[in-house]
Amino acid sequence: MANTPAPNIAAVVLAAGKGTRMKSDLHKVLHPIAGHPMLLHLIGSVATLNPQRTVVVTGAGREQVEAAVAPLGIVTALQAEQLGTGHAVAQAEAALAGFEGDVLVLYGDVPLVSSATMRAMVARLHAPDAPAVVVLGFRPADPAAYGRIIADEQGVIAKMVEYKDASDAERAVTLCNSGLMAVRSADLFALLARVGNDNAAGEYYLPDIVMLAAADGRASAVIETSAAEVAGVNSRAELAGVELSWQNARRAQAMADGATLIAPETVWFAYDTVLGRDVVIEPNVVFGPGVTVADDVVIHAFSHIEGATIGAGAEVGPFARLRPGAVLGEHSKIGNFVEMKKAVLGVGAKASHLTYLGDARSGPASISAQARSPAIMMAFSNTKRLSARARSLGLTRRWWPRSPSARARLSGPGR
């Protein structure tokens, strides 16, 4: 039972911060990690728990956040004044009216928290000792100004204190508060109503509910995770650090799933990249969103791929660019300095080098040596008809060359 989450789960995601250190017109939580807004990374992880409700607390720049989550049917709550994390969570009370179950408190700028960790927090809440609150802790290399957690070896919390209010002895403790919590809905808002702002910052701190529960004779507990999983984003440098952490995890997963990465640190994935087995990826390959790669594909160095579907046994690059709408058939080949957009390359077809394929379709194995001329595949030709020779090669009108000499190479008695 201790490992089984309660059936009723809700999530409150705090996204009201101004994010001034990002120096951006884009809301902080909407900056992308692997081509996907960090807030949506987190919400995607939450969704695997099948929560009954998810509430995003907004503040400055709320219109951007509301627009981002509206397609998902997620409710938002407004924190008009920035009065602390406790005050922020309290703004979700109306949105959670009538909900009975466990509430996860998460942060929109802490995007890498896994669903497994969320489940572990809820499971600890339902352990035999039934803690009032479960706090997610971590031990960073530099504890800096994080709030500290004073706990025993079993993880039972004796005290939680913000860095500004901590003594020197408390600041020496290395167990830090990530800010993430799990708490029963029946307890959460009753405890928040008792939180005061008599502290150095004059704010309503969410961690104070732990000590308020302790005053009622109810202990709380901490579970630990890695510093990387709870890394927050408050600056462009921290955004780059979280991006790197995500990429490292995705590279490791790709190799564990049967792909070969010759130089893993040089391969950059998007959040939705799909790789088959026995795929070989050479150095300096970048995947944008919307790429699906089938089995036994080879992607050579310095290729950039987005919005493309690559069939089994195909070969790409080096120095190739596949743009949205590119479809490579099985055992087809795109060579060096070839670009595709909204084009289909048939089974076994080849475009070996120096070619642009756009808004076009080729039949199986229809492009071969002719495609190796830089003039042959120029798109958007004004030529009004194709010769019989071009049709026999499977070339569509948009692939007809502009160059007279190139046209002559395809022309014959049929033109």
Side-chain angles (χ1 to χ4, degrees):
M1 290 293 293
N3 293 323
T4 303
N8 297 333
I9 295 175
V12 175
V13 180
L14 304 188
K18 295 180 179 179
T20 53
R21 281 186 280 167
M22 295 295 286
K23 295 181 172 61
S24 176
D25 293 331
L26 181 66
H27 195 287
K28 176 174 68 170
V29 301
L30 300 181
H31 279 262
I33 301 293
H36 199 49
M38 69 175 86
L39 174 63
L40 300 189
H41 274 279
L42 180 66
I43 288 175
S45 297
V46 171
T48 65
L49 278 65
N50 298 313
Q52 286 195 1
R53 303 186 198 181
T54 299
V55 183
V56 175
V57 179
T58 64
R62 66 187 179 90
E63 296 84 3
Q64 292 183 14
V65 177
E66 289 169 354
V69 302
L72 305 176
I74 289 175
V75 175
T76 60
L78 177 63
Q79 184 190 25
E81 295 183 84
Q82 311 296 297
L83 301 178
T85 52
H87 179 261
V89 176
Q91 307 314 300
E93 184 173 7
L96 292 180
F99 172 76
E100 296 181 1
D102 305 324
V103 180
L104 285 164
V105 179
L106 308 168
Y107 291 78
D109 59 359
V110 182
L112 302 186
V113 182
S114 68
S115 56
T117 294
M118 297 178 197
R119 292 180 191 278
M121 293 170 67
V122 174
R124 182 66 183 89
L125 196 62
H126 290 270
D129 59 342
V133 182
V134 173
V135 179
L136 186 62
F138 68 111
R139 298 181 188 271
D142 179 10
Y146 290 107
R148 301 301 203 266
I149 302 174
I150 316 300
D152 64 19
E153 294 182 355
Q154 286 70 47
V156 177
I157 298 173
K159 184 178 181 180
M160 290 182 64
V161 58
E162 294 293 327
Y163 181 83
K164 295 176 183 178
D165 303 308
S167 66
D168 288 342
E170 290 166 342
R171 290 179 179 182
V173 173
T174 59
L175 182 59
C176 296
N177 175 26
S178 71
L180 280 67
M181 294 185 175
V183 56
R184 296 169 188 82
S185 59
D187 296 327
L188 177 59
F189 297 108
L191 290 169
L192 284 172
R194 296 162 56 189
V195 172
N197 65 345
D198 184 17
N199 52 62
E203 294 186 349
Y204 298 89
Y205 290 145
L206 178 61
D208 285 357
I209 66 174
V210 171
M211 301 318 300
L212 289 170
D216 296 338
R218 302 178 62 198
S220 295
V222 59
I223 65 171
E224 295 188 37
T225 190
S226 68
E229 188 174 7
V230 292
V233 176
N234 292 294
S235 67
R236 304 282 182 151
E238 290 175 348
L239 179 67
V242 171
E243 174 79 36
L244 181 58
S245 181
W246 188 95
Q247 292 292 342
N248 284 335
R250 182 66 183 89
R251 293 159 182 161
Q253 186 63 53
M255 291 185 286
D257 290 342
T260 294
L261 277 58
I262 303 300
E265 69 280 4
T266 70
V267 176
W268 294 83
F269 291 105
Y271 72 101
D272 60 351
T273 306
V274 177
L275 297 180
R277 295 181 62 181
D278 294 312
V279 172
V280 176
I281 304 175
E282 292 184 356
N284 297 295
V285 171
V286 176
F287 294 92
V291 176
T292 299
V293 181
D295 296 345
D296 301 307
V297 169
V298 177
I299 302 175
H300 293 292
F302 293 98
S303 293
H304 187 285
I305 306 169
E306 62 177 318
T309 301
I310 303 175
E315 186 175 352
V316 178
F319 295 97
R321 186 180 182 194
L322 303 183
R323 296 168 63 188
V327 178
L328 274 65
E330 294 182 1
H331 303 288
S332 61
K333 178 182 177 180
I334 289 294
N336 51 295
F337 301 105
V338 175
E339 180 176 354
M340 285 184 68
K341 178 186 178 184
K342 295 182 182 178
V344 177
L345 193 63
V347 175
K350 298 179 180 180
S352 295
H353 63 253
L354 297 171
T355 302
Y356 173 71
L357 311 178
D359 296 276
R361 176 183 295 269
S362 80
S366 62
I367 307 172
S368 55
Q370 286 79 8
R372 296 168 192 162
S373 167
I376 290 299
M377 300 309 233
M378 296 299 294
F380 307 109
S381 168
N382 290 324
T383 302
K384 294 184 178 179
R385 64 188 181 90
L386 298 175
S387 71
R389 172 65 172 155
R391 286 195 298 271
S392 73
L393 289 170
L395 302 181
T396 68
R397 177 175 169 181
R398 289 186 181 274
W399 287 9
W400 188 238
R402 290 176 178 171
S403 165
S405 61
R407 287 199 298 269
R409 293 169 60 183
L410 292 178
S411 300
R415 188 178 190 279

